[in-house]
Amino acid sequence: MDKHQQQQQLFLAKSTRQRCNEWIFRDVPSDITIEVNGVAFALHKFPLVSRSGRIQKLVAEHRDSDMLRVELVNVPGGAESFELAAKFCYGINFEITSFNVAQLYCVSDYLEMTEEFSKDNLGSRTEEYLEIVVCKNLEMCVEVLQQCESLLPLADELKIISRCIDAIASKACAEQIASSFSRLEYSSSGRLHMNRQTKCEGDWWIEDLSVIRIDLYQRLITAMKCRGVRPESIGASLVNFAQKELTKKCSLWNPSGLTKVDLGSTDHERLVVETIIGLLPVEKLAVPISFLFGLLRSAVMLDCSISCRLDLERRIGSQLDIATLDDILIPSFRHSGDGTLFDVDTVQRILVNFSQQDDSEGDLDDESVFESDSPRSPSQTALFKVAILVDNYLAEIAPDANLKLPKFLGIAETLPEHARTIHDGLYRAIDIYLKAHPGLPDEDRKRLCKLIDFQKLSQEAGAHAAQNERLPIQSIVQVLYFEQLRLRNALCCSYPDDDHKPAVHHQSWRISSGALSAAMSPRDNYASLRRENRELKLELTRMRMRLNDLEKEHVCMKRDMVKSRSRRFMRSFSKKIGKLSLFGHSSSRGSSSPSRQSYRTDSKVIERTCASTD
């Protein structure tokens, strides 16, 4: 015991003696001295023995001694509680309140002040006050619970805590039901519905519960769940409690607070975080997702149990589509060996949980996008949102010089291919990573660029990629090829001749096939992409063969022009021109397409023109 504590104890003993002199009988000498926690009370046997069974037994054990001196050990509430009990024995009036009823209840049990020794004894009086007054008032129950924190475990054994907890849970549930009834109203059609715009006033108790100790708070929230209190109210109480407890000693709750924390003084904060994680409602959106990320940051910093962190990651993964970039930028608090600035491994696990979540609660509009035999996949709308979020996250972590390629690839490859309809964000992140890691080997650069579908780049991104020296040559060739296809499609679309429209539509469908495939199911999407690749390769082979035919025909025409300028040359020229069809199919000889008919008409006109000149 240090000097300061000794001074406090001496001051308490002195003030207690002064108070005792005010109400103890001065004209009758005391015959018993009771010492409680270093404080001596000079009292009289008769009033104490008539009310307290414990003191009656002590006096009976020392009948022969005229002046008895005893010491009471572990008195609930200490000298102050014993002083109130002694006053009650002397018949001195004092007020029982919510701030002393728990102490009086416990000290009456310790001193055995029951109805067996005296009618209307202290035990029955405190029991009556607790039942009639305290348990009918939520605020008083909270105050009693606060007082019970210093009376454990006796207060728990006497069921003071459980009675207050049950009373608070019942009162909160009843007030919520009453508040819900007050929000009911009839619609224009005569149906009864709840007005959600009216503010619910049944959750005023949330602020009051934040002063309870964490172990009692845990029992209280559990009782509220059993009573049927709304998950939103439970979540609001958890948020309020966590923000007050975790900002008392350190800046754990501040996401930007990267100051080093003394882990030896954070046992209480670790207990709070783990307890709150275990109390989170199972319903989605019961707490804000920013609060879940705040808990996760605190759990990482405080080195909480793995089960708590995994539970948080699963909860976050189930609603990742509503998260923001600031949420998922989790600093690497523990400074792992790789020296990265951000906790990439945690984000990757969250993405895996998102990809594997059950979509049974998905939107009805998205049910037609996926097959009925694949329930464990997120909705397409959520997938698009998360894809944008991931691309922005990759762009933020890419400048980190200590970020290894496997971790970058792990984040980028977590989502399926059909999650991205446009690859501009992914291309931007990869370009930033290549710029921040200039010494990356060619094989690694190729692995990175294989993630990009250059056919899904916008015109601006494609133009940038075509001149990007950081990309491998193979990637630049792909970019130029798809840009050529896009340019040819644009030219064909602007061609005035109607004969080319079928070919234009066919080519336009091929170029935009990447965007169309994004609306298919993953299984059909992959099959469609493979089929389109095969058709594209076949079309390229046909074009090469036709170009070779053109070159041969050109050589033959030159040779024929040298040999003869007669009508026979013109007729052969017109026939060969009629055979040329760059976008047609050579196998369809019997086709009656408009383009083929136009070529036949052109050849006949040429023949008539040649005949008239002759």
Side-chain angles (χ1 to χ4, degrees):
M1 183 180 297
D2 57 11
K3 185 177 181 181
H4 180 67
Q5 290 178 343
Q6 290 178 353
Q7 291 178 352
Q8 283 185 337
Q9 190 171 4
L10 290 175
F11 175 78
L12 179 62
K14 183 178 180 181
S15 61
T16 304
R17 292 192 188 96
Q18 291 176 353
R19 290 197 305 269
C20 290
N21 293 331
E22 297 176 358
W23 55 267
I24 295 178
F25 302 144
R26 298 179 181 179
D27 53 348
V28 180
S30 62
D31 54 2
I32 182 173
T33 301
I34 299 178
E35 185 176 349
V36 180
N37 293 348
V39 180
F41 293 88
L43 303 174
H44 305 83
K45 296 179 182 179
F46 177 73
L48 298 179
V49 169
S50 63
R51 293 280 188 174
S52 173
R54 189 184 190 96
I55 297 180
Q56 188 180 88
K57 295 175 183 178
L58 291 174
V59 172
E61 293 175 359
H62 303 82
R63 288 182 179 180
D64 299 335
S65 58
D66 295 334
M67 183 63 187
L68 179 63
R69 185 180 184 89
V70 296
E71 180 181 3
L72 298 180
V73 183
N74 297 327
V75 177
E80 294 183 1
S81 297
F82 178 78
E83 181 184 357
L84 292 176
K87 281 185 178 182
F88 184 84
C89 293
Y90 276 83
I92 299 175
N93 294 328
F94 61 89
E95 184 181 3
I96 300 178
T97 65
S98 58
F99 294 100
N100 61 19
V101 64
Q103 297 176 352
L104 292 175
Y105 197 102
C106 292
V107 77
S108 66
D109 179 79
Y110 177 85
L111 295 176
E112 301 178 14
M113 301 177 68
T114 63
E115 296 296 307
E116 180 182 354
F117 300 97
S118 176
K119 186 178 181 181
D120 291 334
N121 210 342
L122 184 59
S124 60
R125 294 283 296 274
T126 54
E127 168 70 25
E128 182 180 4
Y129 185 85
L130 192 66
E131 183 68 25
I132 297 177
V133 180
V134 173
C135 290
K136 304 298 181 182
N137 189 289
L138 191 147
E139 292 177 328
M140 284 188 173
C141 288
V142 174
E143 293 170 355
V144 171
L145 283 180
Q146 283 187 277
Q147 302 303 318
C148 288
E149 293 176 2
S150 60
L151 299 172
L152 294 174
L154 182 59
D156 202 8
E157 295 174 358
L158 297 176
K159 301 187 181 304
I160 302 176
I161 294 177
S162 59
R163 291 167 64 180
C164 290
I165 287 177
D166 291 340
I168 293 174
S170 300
K171 190 70 174 176
C173 184
E175 290 189 2
Q176 281 198 349
I177 294 174
S179 176
S180 299
F181 278 122
S182 65
R183 296 162 62 194
L184 291 176
E185 61 182 21
Y186 286 96
S187 62
S188 57
S189 60
R191 293 184 176 181
L192 193 64
H193 72 285
M194 184 174 294
N195 187 0
R196 298 185 179 275
Q197 295 180 354
T198 305
K199 185 179 180 181
C200 180
E201 301 294 342
D203 296 343
W204 57 268
W205 44 265
I206 291 176
E207 187 71 20
D208 295 336
L209 301 187
S210 60
V211 299
I212 304 177
R213 204 169 72 176
I214 182 63
D215 53 342
L216 302 180
Y217 179 80
Q218 180 182 18
R219 294 172 57 179
L220 178 57
I221 294 299
T222 304
M224 284 186 168
K225 288 182 178 181
C226 296
R227 292 281 184 176
V229 177
R230 285 193 299 264
E232 295 80 7
S233 301
I234 298 293
S237 178
L238 291 173
V239 172
N240 186 72
F241 187 88
Q243 289 176 344
K244 286 193 173 183
E245 287 295 320
L246 297 178
T247 54
K248 287 182 178 179
K249 296 182 180 180
C250 58
S251 58
L252 288 175
W253 203 248
N254 185 7
S256 61
L258 301 180
T259 56
K260 187 176 180 180
V261 179
D262 184 10
L263 295 180
S265 62
T266 57
D267 293 338
H268 173 70
E269 284 78 6
R270 185 184 300 108
L271 176 62
V272 170
V273 171
E274 293 179 351
T275 302
I276 290 178
I277 294 173
L279 293 174
L280 288 173
V282 296
E283 293 80 3
K284 290 183 179 180
L285 306 180
V287 295
I289 193 170
S290 58
F291 173 72
L292 295 180
F293 275 104
L295 280 179
L296 184 58
R297 289 189 182 94
S298 299
V300 173
M301 175 186 289
L302 297 170
D303 197 19
C304 293
S305 63
I306 297 178
S307 60
C308 290
R309 295 176 57 181
L310 293 180
D311 184 24
L312 268 180
E313 292 168 5
R314 283 193 295 268
R315 291 176 183 271
I316 293 174
S318 65
Q319 46 188 319
L320 187 60
D321 53 306
I322 62 175
T324 63
L325 180 60
D326 292 336
D327 291 332
I328 65 174
L329 287 175
I330 304 174
S332 183
F333 290 105
R334 292 186 296 172
H335 300 289
S336 55
D338 53 9
T340 55
L341 298 176
F342 298 100
D343 192 347
V344 181
D345 296 332
T346 299
V347 175
Q348 185 176 2
R349 289 193 299 268
I350 293 175
L351 287 172
V352 171
N353 286 316
F354 168 77
S355 302
Q356 296 178 351
Q357 66 176 313
D358 191 353
D359 191 32
S360 58
E361 300 179 359
D363 298 333
L364 295 177
D365 297 336
D366 296 325
E367 290 180 359
S368 59
V369 178
F370 295 95
E371 297 178 355
S372 59
D373 59 348
S374 57
R376 296 189 64 81
S377 57
S379 66
Q380 194 72 10
T381 304
L383 201 58
F384 291 160
K385 293 180 180 179
V386 174
I388 297 174
L389 181 65
V390 169
D391 291 344
N392 292 333
Y393 177 76
L394 289 172
E396 286 291 330
I397 66 174
D400 188 358
N402 295 323
L403 181 62
K404 303 301 181 183
L405 181 62
K407 289 193 174 184
F408 187 90
L409 291 173
I411 297 291
E413 294 175 342
T414 304
L415 297 180
E417 294 183 5
H418 64 277
R420 298 180 176 90
T421 55
I422 299 177
H423 278 220
D424 287 11
L426 182 60
Y427 165 71
R428 172 174 168 266
I430 291 177
D431 184 47
I432 294 175
Y433 187 85
L434 291 175
K435 185 176 181 180
H437 300 77
L440 204 64
D442 292 340
E443 292 298 325
D444 292 340
R445 289 192 296 145
K446 291 179 182 179
R447 289 177 60 191
L448 268 177
C449 293
K450 283 182 179 179
L451 299 173
I452 307 174
D453 187 350
F454 294 100
Q455 195 173 356
K456 295 182 181 180
L457 292 180
S458 64
Q459 186 174 357
E460 294 78 10
H464 183 277
Q467 302 177 6
N468 193 345
E469 297 179 354
R470 289 184 287 271
L471 298 180
I473 297 179
Q474 296 85 346
S475 300
I476 296 178
V477 171
Q478 292 184 41
V479 174
L480 294 175
Y481 171 71
F482 289 120
E483 287 299 309
Q484 184 182 12
L485 286 182
R486 182 181 289 131
L487 179 61
R488 182 175 296 175
N489 179 64
L491 292 175
C492 292
C493 290
S494 61
Y495 197 81
D497 190 357
D498 294 337
D499 296 338
H500 296 284
K501 286 183 179 180
V504 168
H505 292 315
H506 182 66
Q507 187 70 11
S508 175
W509 177 84
R510 292 185 186 279
I511 291 179
S512 62
S513 61
L516 291 176
S517 62
M520 302 178 182
S521 66
R523 187 180 302 172
D524 294 339
N525 192 1
Y526 300 146
S528 175
L529 290 176
R530 289 195 299 267
R531 183 171 60 255
E532 290 172 13
N533 288 335
R534 290 196 299 268
E535 292 176 358
L536 185 59
K537 292 179 181 179
L538 182 60
E539 188 66 23
L540 288 174
T541 305
R542 290 173 179 172
M543 291 181 64
R544 291 193 187 98
M545 294 176 63
R546 289 173 190 141
L547 289 175
N548 292 333
D549 292 339
L550 278 174
E551 292 177 357
K552 292 179 181 179
E553 294 293 340
H554 182 63
V555 174
C556 293
M557 282 191 294
K558 283 186 177 181
R559 187 169 56 249
D560 291 342
M561 290 180 66
V562 173
K563 290 182 179 180
S564 174
R565 296 179 181 275
S566 60
R567 182 186 301 175
R568 183 176 58 189
F569 164 73
M570 296 303 296
R571 290 177 179 176
S572 64
F573 176 80
S574 62
K575 291 179 181 180
K576 292 170 182 177
I577 290 296
K579 293 179 180 180
L580 299 180
S581 176
L582 185 60
F583 297 103
H585 296 280
S586 59
S587 61
S588 57
R589 294 183 178 181
S591 175
S592 59
S593 62
S595 59
R596 191 168 184 83
Q597 292 177 1
S598 63
Y599 288 135
R600 291 178 180 175
T601 304
D602 293 341
S603 62
K604 291 180 180 180
V605 172
I606 293 174
E607 288 179 1
R608 287 197 300 270
T609 304
C610 294
S612 62
T613 54
D614 291 340

